[in-house]
Amino acid sequence: MRVFIIDASNMGPELQGGLIGVVGSTEPTAEEKKECVETVSRYAVDGWAIAADPRTPIGRLAAVTAETACVPFVAFNWVAERGGPAVGPSRGAAVRELT
């Protein structure tokens, strides 16, 4: 699983607490699912919004975890459906992968 910090400074006020992107394998292991829930929960507690593709297993898990924590969720597939890349920064946005 990969986690990204996405610069949300030019986005709406509901994303000003921070935004992380979550991307995972198409067939996640139990350990990857656990890591997703723990990571999303940790950032959600601090008020971060979550971004992922809900069409993927990890994306759905991130979305449900964000919803449970009552933090905003941004679907990556919304960008893809409008002709953009499935996952990637918008023009001028800064993205930094967490390690």
Side-chain angles (χ1 to χ4, degrees):
M1 185 182 84
R2 294 167 50 195
V3 179
F4 300 87
I5 293 177
I6 302 170
D7 179 2
S9 61
N10 292 324
M11 297 181 190
E14 66 278 2
L15 302 178
Q16 294 304 307
L19 177 63
I20 64 164
V22 179
V23 179
S25 64
T26 56
E27 295 182 21
T29 64
E31 184 60 33
E32 188 176 17
K33 291 175 184 177
K34 179 182 175 193
E35 179 186 13
C36 175
V37 171
E38 289 174 352
T39 301
V40 170
S41 297
R42 186 172 58 247
Y43 280 93
V45 165
D46 291 335
W48 289 68
I50 310 301
D53 185 345
R55 298 175 297 182
T56 67
I58 288 295
R60 279 191 301 278
L61 189 54
V64 169
T65 305
E67 181 180 350
T68 301
C70 299
V71 296
F73 178 78
V74 178
F76 280 144
N77 66 335
W78 183 86
V79 175
E81 289 169 0
R82 284 147 185 82
V87 176
S90 61
R91 200 167 161 182
V95 176
R96 180 172 56 100
E97 184 170 358
L98 300 176
T99 54

